[in-house]
Amino acid sequence: MLSEGPVTDALYWVRGPGLHALLIVLGAVLLARLVSWAGKRITDRIDAAATGSDALVRSEAAKHRHSLTQVLTWAAIVLIWSIAIFFVLETLGVPVTGLVAPATVLGVGLGFGAQRIVGDVLAGFFLITERQYGFGDVVAIQVVGGGDPAEGTVEDVNLRITRLRSVNGEVVIVPNGQIVKVVNLSRDWARAVVDVPVPSSADVNRVQQVLREVGERAFADPRLHRLLLDAPSVMGVESLALDEVNLRIVARTLPGKQFEVGRDLRARVALALSREGVSLRATAQEDDVRDEALAEDRARSGGAA
């Protein structure tokens, strides 16, 4: 017959410390989910308030509150699990004070190995407190080592990483400690810049007048009027080349709306200049002359390419 001692001890452990540890873990799971749910509710309310407003874009305060809520939610969940692990160890009878010395050695080792993580967290802290960018901003981020910057809309920013969504739908994750330069394309206001190349033979004064009329009609359009802060202005001749003149029209827009306004202005400019008989392709005449010369050469050579 088996001894009842080990069985009794096992039942005592299951009903006592084991059950307490399980309840602590379950409590931590429920509390972490509650914090996550509350954080999601808060961010959803911020998003709903920003979307339902007449500003069409998020205010800088709304962006900061959204990012701050995500960071506080993440920090609260980490704190909950840290405290839960401590109480579980104490409940199971593990001498926590005896782990101080090994934890110190382990902490020093991890400190050398996790310098990049610490740098990411510190950089993320300053990114958020200084309000360099927030949820919904359109940014271009230059990382250590150069290369092409990461461009897209900020979908998530916390103390360690920034997640972007590019125009192609790609998700780009950038560690905060690797960021060396940030270009915020949607802070307070933006500017749409449209360069219009016309042949040097065109009447520049007439083209500028057409561009002014395009800007006035665009500002009077109800669809574009809500995106523009003021009427588009013609800056004049931006550059000169041998066979073309480059004119520039600029417009101040709401944050992040410069791309939409720029596309609309280009379509309006192309249509207006086409009606005036002005070609946007400065080398069209030269290409026609070159094609005729090639045709003559082929005719002389008997049709050989």
Side-chain angles (χ1 to χ4, degrees), residues 216-305:
E216 293 172 359
R217 287 195 296 268
F219 191 63
D221 188 339
R223 184 178 61 84
L224 281 183
H225 185 79
R226 60 177 186 168
L227 304 179
L228 293 168
L229 299 180
D230 46 36
S233 58
V234 179
M235 304 300 294
V237 177
E238 182 66 21
S239 62
L240 291 172
L242 182 61
D243 51 8
E244 73 176 18
V245 178
N246 191 35
L247 294 92
R248 174 168 293 182
I249 179 173
V250 299
R252 286 202 314 147
T253 72
L254 291 175
K257 301 299 180 180
Q258 67 269 33
F259 308 109
E260 180 179 350
V261 172
R263 288 190 292 268
D264 194 284
L265 286 177
R266 291 184 184 94
R268 291 172 180 266
V269 167
L271 182 60
L273 293 182
S274 176
R275 290 173 178 173
E276 293 292 326
V278 178
S279 174
L280 292 177
R281 188 164 182 257
T283 59
Q285 184 176 359
E286 292 183 2
D287 289 344
D288 292 338
V289 174
R290 187 180 299 109
D291 291 341
E292 291 178 1
L294 289 174
E296 292 178 0
D297 291 339
R298 290 178 180 177
R300 291 173 183 176
S301 60

Coordinates of all heavy atoms in Angstrom, one line a residue, residues 216-305:
E216 N -7.6 79.6 -58.5 CA -8.9 80.3 -58.0 C -10.0 79.3 -58.1 O -10.9 79.2 -57.2 CB -9.1 81.6 -58.8 CG -8.1 82.7 -58.6 CD -8.2 83.8 -59.5 OE1 -9.2 83.8 -60.4 OE2 -7.5 84.8 -59.4
R217 N -10.1 78.6 -59.3 CA -11.2 77.7 -59.4 C -11.1 76.5 -58.4 O -12.1 76.0 -57.9 CB -11.3 77.1 -60.9 CG -11.7 78.2 -61.9 CD -12.1 77.5 -63.2 NE -10.9 76.9 -63.8 CZ -10.2 77.5 -64.7 NH1 -10.4 78.8 -65.1 NH2 -9.1 76.9 -65.3
A218 N -9.9 76.1 -58.2 CA -9.7 75.0 -57.2 C -10.1 75.4 -55.8 O -10.7 74.6 -55.1 CB -8.2 74.5 -57.2
F219 N -9.8 76.6 -55.4 CA -10.1 77.1 -54.1 C -11.6 77.3 -54.0 O -12.2 77.2 -52.9 CB -9.4 78.4 -53.8 CG -9.5 78.9 -52.4 CD1 -8.9 78.1 -51.4 CD2 -10.1 80.1 -52.1 CE1 -9.0 78.6 -50.1 CE2 -10.2 80.5 -50.8 CZ -9.6 79.7 -49.8
A220 N -12.3 77.6 -55.1 CA -13.7 77.8 -55.1 C -14.5 76.5 -55.1 O -15.7 76.5 -54.8 CB -14.2 78.7 -56.3
D221 N -13.8 75.4 -55.5 CA -14.4 74.1 -55.5 C -14.7 73.6 -54.0 O -13.8 73.6 -53.2 CB -13.5 73.1 -56.2 CG -14.2 71.7 -56.4 OD1 -15.2 71.4 -55.7 OD2 -13.7 71.0 -57.3
P222 N -16.0 73.3 -53.7 CA -16.3 72.9 -52.3 C -15.5 71.7 -51.8 O -15.1 71.6 -50.6 CB -17.8 72.6 -52.3 CG -18.3 73.4 -53.5 CD -17.2 73.4 -54.5
R223 N -15.2 70.8 -52.7 CA -14.4 69.6 -52.3 C -13.0 69.9 -51.9 O -12.5 69.4 -51.0 CB -14.5 68.6 -53.5 CG -13.8 67.2 -53.1 CD -13.9 66.3 -54.3 NE -13.2 66.8 -55.4 CZ -11.9 66.6 -55.6 NH1 -11.1 66.0 -54.7 NH2 -11.3 67.1 -56.7
L224 N -12.4 70.8 -52.7 CA -11.0 71.2 -52.4 C -10.9 72.3 -51.4 O -9.9 72.4 -50.7 CB -10.3 71.6 -53.7 CG -9.8 70.5 -54.6 CD1 -9.0 71.1 -55.7 CD2 -8.9 69.5 -53.8
H225 N -11.9 73.1 -51.3 CA -11.9 74.3 -50.4 C -11.7 73.9 -48.9 O -11.0 74.5 -48.2 CB -13.2 75.1 -50.5 CG -13.2 76.4 -49.7 ND1 -12.5 77.5 -50.1 CD2 -13.7 76.7 -48.5 CE1 -12.7 78.5 -49.2 NE2 -13.4 78.0 -48.2
R226 N -12.3 72.7 -48.5 CA -12.1 72.3 -47.1 C -10.8 71.7 -46.9 O -10.4 71.5 -45.7 CB -13.2 71.2 -46.8 CG -13.2 70.0 -47.7 CD -14.2 69.0 -47.3 NE -14.1 67.8 -48.0 CZ -14.7 66.6 -47.7 NH1 -15.5 66.6 -46.6 NH2 -14.5 65.5 -48.4
L227 N -10.0 71.4 -47.9 CA -8.6 70.9 -47.7 C -7.6 71.9 -47.8 O -6.4 71.7 -47.4 CB -8.3 69.8 -48.8 CG -9.3 68.6 -48.9 CD1 -8.9 67.7 -50.0 CD2 -9.4 67.9 -47.6
L228 N -7.9 73.1 -48.4 CA -7.0 74.2 -48.6 C -7.1 75.2 -47.5 O -8.2 75.6 -47.1 CB -7.2 74.8 -50.0 CG -6.9 74.0 -51.2 CD1 -7.5 74.6 -52.4 CD2 -5.4 73.8 -51.3
L229 N -5.9 75.7 -47.0 CA -5.9 76.8 -46.0 C -6.0 78.1 -46.7 O -6.5 79.1 -46.0 CB -4.7 76.7 -45.2 CG -4.5 75.4 -44.4 CD1 -3.2 75.4 -43.6 CD2 -5.7 75.1 -43.5
D230 N -5.6 78.3 -47.9 CA -5.7 79.5 -48.7 C -5.6 79.1 -50.2 O -5.4 78.0 -50.5 CB -4.7 80.5 -48.3 CG -3.3 79.9 -48.2 OD1 -3.0 79.0 -49.0 OD2 -2.5 80.4 -47.3
A231 N -5.9 80.1 -51.0 CA -5.9 79.9 -52.4 C -4.4 79.5 -52.9 O -3.5 80.1 -52.4 CB -6.4 81.1 -53.2
P232 N -4.3 78.6 -53.8 CA -3.0 78.3 -54.4 C -2.4 79.5 -55.1 O -3.1 80.3 -55.7 CB -3.3 77.2 -55.4 CG -4.6 76.6 -55.0 CD -5.4 77.7 -54.4
S233 N -1.1 79.6 -55.0 CA -0.4 80.8 -55.5 C 0.7 80.3 -56.5 O 1.3 79.3 -56.4 CB 0.3 81.6 -54.4 OG 1.2 80.8 -53.7
V234 N 0.9 81.2 -57.5 CA 1.9 80.9 -58.6 C 3.2 81.6 -58.2 O 3.2 82.8 -58.0 CB 1.4 81.4 -60.0 CG1 2.4 81.1 -61.0 CG2 0.1 80.7 -60.3
M235 N 4.2 80.8 -58.0 CA 5.5 81.3 -57.6 C 6.3 81.9 -58.7 O 7.2 82.7 -58.5 CB 6.3 80.2 -56.9 CG 5.6 79.5 -55.7 SD 5.2 80.6 -54.4 CE 6.8 81.1 -53.8
G236 N 5.9 81.6 -60.0 CA 6.6 82.1 -61.1 C 7.5 81.1 -61.7 O 7.4 79.9 -61.5
V237 N 8.5 81.6 -62.4 CA 9.5 80.7 -63.1 C 10.5 80.2 -62.1 O 11.2 80.9 -61.4 CB 10.2 81.5 -64.2 CG1 11.3 80.6 -64.8 CG2 9.3 82.0 -65.3
E238 N 10.5 78.9 -61.9 CA 11.3 78.2 -61.0 C 12.7 77.9 -61.6 O 13.7 78.0 -60.9 CB 10.7 76.9 -60.5 CG 11.4 76.2 -59.4 CD 11.5 76.9 -58.1 OE1 10.7 77.8 -57.9 OE2 12.4 76.6 -57.3
S239 N 12.8 77.5 -62.8 CA 14.0 77.2 -63.4 C 13.9 77.3 -65.0 O 12.8 77.3 -65.5 CB 14.5 75.7 -63.1 OG 13.5 74.8 -63.6
L240 N 15.1 77.5 -65.6 CA 15.1 77.6 -67.0 C 16.0 76.5 -67.6 O 17.0 76.1 -67.0 CB 15.7 79.0 -67.4 CG 14.8 80.2 -67.1 CD1 15.7 81.5 -67.4 CD2 13.6 80.2 -68.0
A241 N 15.6 76.0 -68.8 CA 16.4 75.0 -69.5 C 16.5 75.5 -70.9 O 16.0 76.5 -71.3 CB 15.9 73.6 -69.4
L242 N 17.2 74.7 -71.7 CA 17.5 75.1 -73.1 C 16.1 75.2 -73.9 O 15.9 76.1 -74.7 CB 18.4 74.1 -73.8 CG 18.8 74.4 -75.3 CD1 19.5 75.7 -75.4 CD2 19.6 73.3 -75.9
D243 N 15.2 74.2 -73.6 CA 14.0 74.1 -74.4 C 12.8 74.1 -73.6 O 11.7 73.8 -74.1 CB 14.0 72.9 -75.3 CG 14.4 71.6 -74.5 OD1 14.4 71.7 -73.3 OD2 14.6 70.6 -75.2
E244 N 12.9 74.4 -72.3 CA 11.7 74.5 -71.5 C 11.8 75.4 -70.3 O 12.9 75.8 -69.9 CB 11.3 73.1 -70.9 CG 12.3 72.6 -69.8 CD 11.8 71.2 -69.2 OE1 11.1 70.5 -69.9 OE2 12.3 70.9 -68.1
V245 N 10.7 75.9 -69.8 CA 10.6 76.7 -68.6 C 9.7 76.0 -67.6 O 8.7 75.5 -67.9 CB 9.9 78.1 -69.0 CG1 9.8 79.0 -67.8 CG2 10.7 78.8 -70.1
N246 N 10.2 76.0 -66.4 CA 9.6 75.3 -65.3 C 8.9 76.4 -64.4 O 9.6 77.2 -63.7 CB 10.5 74.5 -64.5 CG 9.8 73.5 -63.6 OD1 8.8 73.0 -63.9 ND2 10.4 73.3 -62.4
L247 N 7.6 76.3 -64.3 CA 6.8 77.2 -63.4 C 6.3 76.4 -62.2 O 6.1 75.2 -62.3 CB 5.7 77.9 -64.1 CG 6.0 78.8 -65.2 CD1 6.1 78.2 -66.5 CD2 5.0 80.0 -65.2
R248 N 6.1 77.1 -61.1 CA 5.7 76.4 -59.9 C 4.5 77.0 -59.3 O 4.4 78.2 -59.2 CB 6.8 76.4 -58.8 CG 6.5 75.8 -57.5 CD 7.7 75.6 -56.6 NE 8.6 74.5 -57.2 CZ 9.7 74.1 -56.6 NH1 10.1 74.7 -55.5 NH2 10.4 73.1 -57.2
I249 N 3.5 76.1 -58.8 CA 2.3 76.6 -58.1 C 2.3 75.8 -56.8 O 2.5 74.6 -56.8 CB 1.1 76.3 -59.0 CG1 -0.2 76.7 -58.2 CG2 1.0 74.9 -59.4 CD1 -1.5 76.7 -59.0
V250 N 2.1 76.5 -55.7 CA 2.1 75.9 -54.4 C 0.7 76.2 -53.7 O 0.1 77.2 -54.0 CB 3.2 76.5 -53.5 CG1 4.6 76.1 -54.1 CG2 3.1 78.0 -53.3
A251 N 0.4 75.3 -52.7 CA -0.9 75.5 -52.0 C -0.7 74.9 -50.6 O -0.1 73.9 -50.4 CB -2.0 74.8 -52.7
R252 N -1.1 75.7 -49.6 CA -1.1 75.3 -48.2 C -2.3 74.4 -48.0 O -3.5 74.9 -48.3 CB -1.0 76.4 -47.2 CG 0.3 77.1 -47.2 CD 0.5 77.9 -45.9 NE -0.7 78.7 -45.6 CZ -1.0 78.9 -44.3 NH1 -0.4 78.4 -43.3 NH2 -2.1 79.7 -44.1
T253 N -2.1 73.2 -47.4 CA -3.2 72.3 -47.1 C -3.3 71.9 -45.7 O -2.4 72.2 -44.9 CB -3.1 71.1 -48.0 OG1 -2.0 70.3 -47.5 CG2 -2.8 71.5 -49.5
L254 N -4.4 71.2 -45.4 CA -4.4 70.5 -44.1 C -3.4 69.4 -44.0 O -2.9 68.9 -45.0 CB -5.8 69.9 -43.9 CG -7.0 70.9 -43.7 CD1 -8.3 70.1 -43.6 CD2 -6.8 71.8 -42.5
P255 N -3.0 69.1 -42.8 CA -1.9 68.1 -42.6 C -2.3 66.8 -43.3 O -3.4 66.2 -43.1 CB -1.8 67.9 -41.1 CG -2.3 69.2 -40.5 CD -3.4 69.6 -41.5
G256 N -1.3 66.2 -44.1 CA -1.5 65.0 -44.7 C -2.3 65.0 -46.0 O -2.5 64.0 -46.7
K257 N -2.9 66.2 -46.4 CA -3.7 66.3 -47.5 C -3.0 66.9 -48.7 O -3.6 67.1 -49.8 CB -5.0 67.1 -47.2 CG -5.8 66.6 -46.1 CD -6.4 65.3 -46.4 CE -7.2 64.7 -45.2 NZ -7.8 63.4 -45.5
Q258 N -1.7 67.1 -48.6 CA -1.0 67.7 -49.7 C -0.9 66.8 -50.9 O -0.9 67.3 -52.1 CB 0.5 68.1 -49.3 CG 1.4 66.9 -48.9 CD 1.3 66.5 -47.5 OE1 0.3 66.7 -46.8 NE2 2.4 66.1 -46.9
F259 N -0.9 65.5 -50.7 CA -0.8 64.6 -51.9 C -2.1 64.6 -52.7 O -2.1 64.6 -53.9 CB -0.5 63.2 -51.4 CG 0.7 63.1 -50.5 CD1 0.6 62.9 -49.1 CD2 2.0 63.3 -51.0 CE1 1.7 62.8 -48.3 CE2 3.1 63.3 -50.1 CZ 2.9 63.0 -48.8
E260 N -3.2 64.6 -52.0 CA -4.5 64.6 -52.7 C -4.7 65.9 -53.4 O -5.2 65.9 -54.6 CB -5.6 64.4 -51.6 CG -7.0 64.4 -52.2 CD -8.1 64.2 -51.2 OE1 -7.8 63.9 -50.0 OE2 -9.3 64.4 -51.5
V261 N -4.4 67.0 -52.8 CA -4.5 68.3 -53.4 C -3.5 68.4 -54.6 O -3.9 68.9 -55.7 CB -4.2 69.4 -52.4 CG1 -4.2 70.8 -53.1 CG2 -5.3 69.5 -51.3
G262 N -2.3 67.9 -54.5 CA -1.3 68.0 -55.5 C -1.8 67.2 -56.8 O -1.7 67.7 -57.9
R263 N -2.4 66.0 -56.6 CA -2.9 65.2 -57.7 C -4.0 66.0 -58.4 O -4.1 66.0 -59.7 CB -3.3 63.9 -57.2 CG -2.2 62.9 -56.8 CD -2.7 61.5 -56.6 NE -3.6 61.4 -55.4 CZ -3.2 61.1 -54.2 NH1 -1.9 60.9 -54.0 NH2 -4.0 61.1 -53.2
D264 N -4.9 66.6 -57.7 CA -6.0 67.3 -58.3 C -5.5 68.5 -59.0 O -6.0 68.8 -60.1 CB -7.0 67.7 -57.2 CG -8.3 68.1 -57.8 OD1 -8.4 69.3 -58.3 OD2 -9.3 67.4 -57.7
L265 N -4.6 69.2 -58.5 CA -4.1 70.4 -59.1 C -3.4 70.1 -60.4 O -3.5 70.8 -61.5 CB -3.1 71.2 -58.2 CG -3.8 72.0 -57.1 CD1 -2.7 72.6 -56.2 CD2 -4.7 73.1 -57.6
R266 N -2.6 69.0 -60.5 CA -1.9 68.5 -61.7 C -2.9 68.2 -62.8 O -2.7 68.6 -64.0 CB -1.0 67.3 -61.4 CG 0.2 67.6 -60.5 CD 1.1 66.4 -60.3 NE 2.2 66.7 -59.4 CZ 2.1 66.5 -58.1 NH1 1.0 65.9 -57.6 NH2 3.1 66.8 -57.4
A267 N -4.0 67.5 -62.4 CA -5.0 67.2 -63.4 C -5.7 68.5 -64.0 O -5.9 68.6 -65.2 CB -6.1 66.3 -62.8
R268 N -5.9 69.4 -63.1 CA -6.5 70.7 -63.5 C -5.6 71.5 -64.4 O -6.0 72.1 -65.4 CB -7.0 71.5 -62.3 CG -8.1 70.9 -61.5 CD -8.3 71.7 -60.2 NE -9.4 71.2 -59.4 CZ -10.7 71.6 -59.4 NH1 -11.0 72.6 -60.3 NH2 -11.6 71.1 -58.7
V269 N -4.3 71.5 -64.0 CA -3.3 72.3 -64.8 C -3.2 71.6 -66.2 O -3.2 72.4 -67.2 CB -2.0 72.3 -64.1 CG1 -0.9 72.8 -65.0 CG2 -2.1 73.2 -62.9
A270 N -3.1 70.3 -66.3 CA -2.9 69.7 -67.6 C -4.1 69.9 -68.5 O -4.0 70.2 -69.7 CB -2.8 68.1 -67.3
L271 N -5.3 69.9 -67.9 CA -6.5 70.1 -68.7 C -6.6 71.6 -69.2 O -6.9 71.9 -70.3 CB -7.8 69.8 -67.9 CG -9.1 69.9 -68.6 CD1 -9.2 69.1 -69.8 CD2 -10.3 69.6 -67.6
A272 N -6.3 72.5 -68.3 CA -6.3 74.0 -68.6 C -5.3 74.3 -69.7 O -5.6 75.0 -70.7 CB -6.1 74.8 -67.4
L273 N -4.1 73.8 -69.6 CA -3.1 74.1 -70.6 C -3.4 73.4 -71.9 O -3.0 73.9 -73.0 CB -1.7 73.7 -70.1 CG -1.1 74.5 -68.9 CD1 0.2 74.0 -68.5 CD2 -1.1 76.0 -69.2
S274 N -4.0 72.2 -71.8 CA -4.4 71.6 -73.1 C -5.4 72.4 -73.8 O -5.3 72.5 -75.1 CB -4.9 70.2 -72.8 OG -5.4 69.5 -73.9
R275 N -6.3 73.0 -73.1 CA -7.3 73.9 -73.8 C -6.7 75.1 -74.4 O -7.2 75.6 -75.4 CB -8.4 74.3 -72.8 CG -9.3 73.2 -72.3 CD -10.2 73.6 -71.2 NE -11.1 72.5 -70.8 CZ -11.9 72.6 -69.7 NH1 -11.9 73.7 -68.9 NH2 -12.7 71.6 -69.4
E276 N -5.6 75.6 -73.8 CA -4.9 76.7 -74.3 C -3.9 76.4 -75.4 O -3.2 77.2 -76.0 CB -4.1 77.4 -73.2 CG -5.0 78.1 -72.1 CD -5.7 79.3 -72.7 OE1 -5.2 80.0 -73.5 OE2 -6.9 79.5 -72.2
G277 N -3.8 75.1 -75.7 CA -2.9 74.6 -76.8 C -1.4 74.6 -76.4 O -0.5 74.6 -77.2
V278 N -1.1 74.6 -75.0 CA 0.2 74.6 -74.5 C 0.6 73.1 -74.2 O -0.1 72.5 -73.4 CB 0.4 75.5 -73.3 CG1 1.8 75.4 -72.7 CG2 0.0 76.9 -73.6
S279 N 1.7 72.6 -74.7 CA 2.1 71.2 -74.5 C 3.0 71.2 -73.3 O 3.8 72.1 -73.0 CB 2.9 70.7 -75.7 OG 3.4 69.4 -75.4
L280 N 2.8 70.2 -72.4 CA 3.6 70.0 -71.2 C 4.9 69.2 -71.6 O 5.7 69.0 -70.7 CB 2.8 69.2 -70.1 CG 1.7 70.0 -69.5 CD1 1.0 69.2 -68.5 CD2 2.2 71.3 -68.9
R281 N 5.0 68.7 -72.8 CA 6.2 68.0 -73.2 C 7.1 68.9 -74.1 O 6.8 69.1 -75.3 CB 5.8 66.7 -74.0 CG 6.9 65.8 -74.2 CD 6.4 64.4 -74.6 NE 7.5 63.4 -74.8 CZ 7.9 63.0 -76.0 NH1 7.3 63.5 -77.1 NH2 8.8 62.2 -76.2
A282 N 8.1 69.4 -73.5 CA 8.9 70.4 -74.2 C 9.6 69.8 -75.5 O 10.0 70.5 -76.4 CB 9.9 71.0 -73.3
T283 N 9.9 68.5 -75.4 CA 10.7 67.9 -76.5 C 9.8 67.2 -77.6 O 10.3 66.4 -78.4 CB 11.7 66.8 -75.9 OG1 10.9 65.9 -75.3 CG2 12.6 67.5 -75.0
A284 N 8.5 67.5 -77.6 CA 7.6 66.9 -78.5 C 8.0 67.2 -80.0 O 8.1 66.4 -80.8 CB 6.2 67.3 -78.3
Q285 N 8.3 68.5 -80.2 CA 8.7 68.9 -81.6 C 10.0 68.3 -82.0 O 10.1 67.8 -83.1 CB 8.7 70.4 -81.6 CG 9.0 71.0 -83.0 CD 9.0 72.5 -83.1 OE1 8.7 73.1 -82.1 NE2 9.2 73.1 -84.2
E286 N 10.9 68.2 -81.1 CA 12.2 67.6 -81.4 C 12.1 66.2 -81.7 O 12.7 65.6 -82.6 CB 13.2 67.8 -80.2 CG 13.6 69.3 -80.0 CD 14.6 69.4 -78.9 OE1 15.0 68.4 -78.4 OE2 15.0 70.5 -78.6
D287 N 11.2 65.5 -81.0 CA 11.0 64.0 -81.2 C 10.4 63.8 -82.6 O 10.7 62.9 -83.3 CB 10.1 63.5 -80.1 CG 10.8 63.4 -78.8 OD1 12.0 63.5 -78.8 OD2 10.1 63.2 -77.8
D288 N 9.5 64.7 -83.0 CA 8.9 64.6 -84.3 C 9.9 64.8 -85.4 O 10.0 64.0 -86.4 CB 7.8 65.6 -84.5 CG 6.6 65.3 -83.6 OD1 6.4 64.2 -83.2 OD2 5.8 66.3 -83.4
V289 N 10.8 65.8 -85.2 CA 11.9 66.0 -86.2 C 12.8 64.8 -86.2 O 13.3 64.4 -87.3 CB 12.7 67.3 -85.8 CG1 13.9 67.5 -86.8 CG2 11.7 68.5 -86.0
R290 N 13.1 64.2 -85.1 CA 14.0 63.1 -85.0 C 13.4 61.9 -85.7 O 14.1 61.1 -86.4 CB 14.4 62.8 -83.5 CG 15.4 61.7 -83.4 CD 15.7 61.4 -81.9 NE 16.2 62.6 -81.3 CZ 15.6 63.2 -80.3 NH1 14.3 62.9 -80.0 NH2 16.1 64.3 -79.8
D291 N 12.1 61.7 -85.5 CA 11.4 60.6 -86.1 C 11.4 60.7 -87.6 O 11.6 59.7 -88.4 CB 10.0 60.5 -85.6 CG 9.9 60.0 -84.1 OD1 10.9 59.5 -83.6 OD2 8.9 60.3 -83.5
E292 N 11.2 61.9 -88.1 CA 11.2 62.2 -89.6 C 12.6 61.9 -90.1 O 12.7 61.3 -91.2 CB 10.8 63.6 -89.9 CG 9.3 63.9 -89.6 CD 9.0 65.3 -89.8 OE1 9.9 66.1 -90.3 OE2 7.8 65.7 -89.6
A293 N 13.6 62.3 -89.4 CA 15.0 62.1 -89.9 C 15.3 60.6 -90.0 O 15.9 60.1 -90.9 CB 16.0 62.8 -89.0
L294 N 14.9 59.8 -88.9 CA 15.1 58.4 -88.9 C 14.3 57.7 -90.1 O 14.9 56.8 -90.7 CB 14.6 57.8 -87.6 CG 15.5 58.1 -86.4 CD1 14.8 57.6 -85.1 CD2 16.9 57.5 -86.5
A295 N 13.1 58.2 -90.4 CA 12.4 57.6 -91.5 C 13.1 57.9 -92.8 O 13.1 57.0 -93.7 CB 11.0 58.2 -91.5
E296 N 13.7 59.1 -93.0 CA 14.4 59.4 -94.2 C 15.6 58.5 -94.3 O 16.0 58.0 -95.4 CB 14.8 60.9 -94.3 CG 13.6 61.8 -94.4 CD 14.0 63.3 -94.4 OE1 15.2 63.5 -94.3 OE2 13.1 64.1 -94.5
D297 N 16.3 58.3 -93.2 CA 17.5 57.5 -93.3 C 17.2 56.1 -93.6 O 17.9 55.4 -94.4 CB 18.3 57.5 -91.9 CG 18.9 58.9 -91.6 OD1 19.1 59.7 -92.6 OD2 19.1 59.2 -90.5
R298 N 16.1 55.5 -93.1 CA 15.7 54.2 -93.4 C 15.3 54.1 -94.9 O 15.5 53.1 -95.5 CB 14.5 53.8 -92.5 CG 14.9 53.6 -91.0 CD 13.7 53.2 -90.2 NE 14.1 53.0 -88.8 CZ 13.2 52.7 -87.8 NH1 11.9 52.6 -88.1 NH2 13.7 52.5 -86.6
A299 N 14.6 55.1 -95.4 CA 14.2 55.1 -96.8 C 15.4 55.1 -97.7 O 15.5 54.4 -98.7 CB 13.3 56.3 -97.1
R300 N 16.4 55.8 -97.3 CA 17.7 55.9 -98.1 C 18.4 54.6 -98.1 O 19.1 54.2 -99.0 CB 18.5 57.0 -97.7 CG 18.0 58.4 -97.9 CD 18.8 59.5 -97.3 NE 18.3 60.8 -97.5 CZ 18.8 61.9 -97.0 NH1 19.8 61.9 -96.2 NH2 18.2 63.1 -97.2
S301 N 18.4 53.9 -96.9 CA 19.1 52.6 -96.8 C 18.3 51.4 -97.2 O 18.7 50.3 -96.9 CB 19.6 52.5 -95.3 OG 18.5 52.4 -94.5
G302 N 17.2 51.7 -97.8 CA 16.4 50.6 -98.3 C 15.5 49.9 -97.2 O 15.2 48.7 -97.3
G303 N 15.2 50.6 -96.1 CA 14.3 50.1 -95.1 C 15.0 49.3 -94.0 O 14.4 48.7 -93.1
A304 N 16.4 49.3 -94.0 CA 17.1 48.6 -93.0 C 17.0 49.4 -91.7 O 17.0 50.6 -91.7 CB 18.6 48.4 -93.4
A305 N 17.0 48.7 -90.5 CA 16.8 49.3 -89.2 C 18.1 50.0 -88.9 O 19.2 49.5 -89.2 CB 16.5 48.3 -88.1

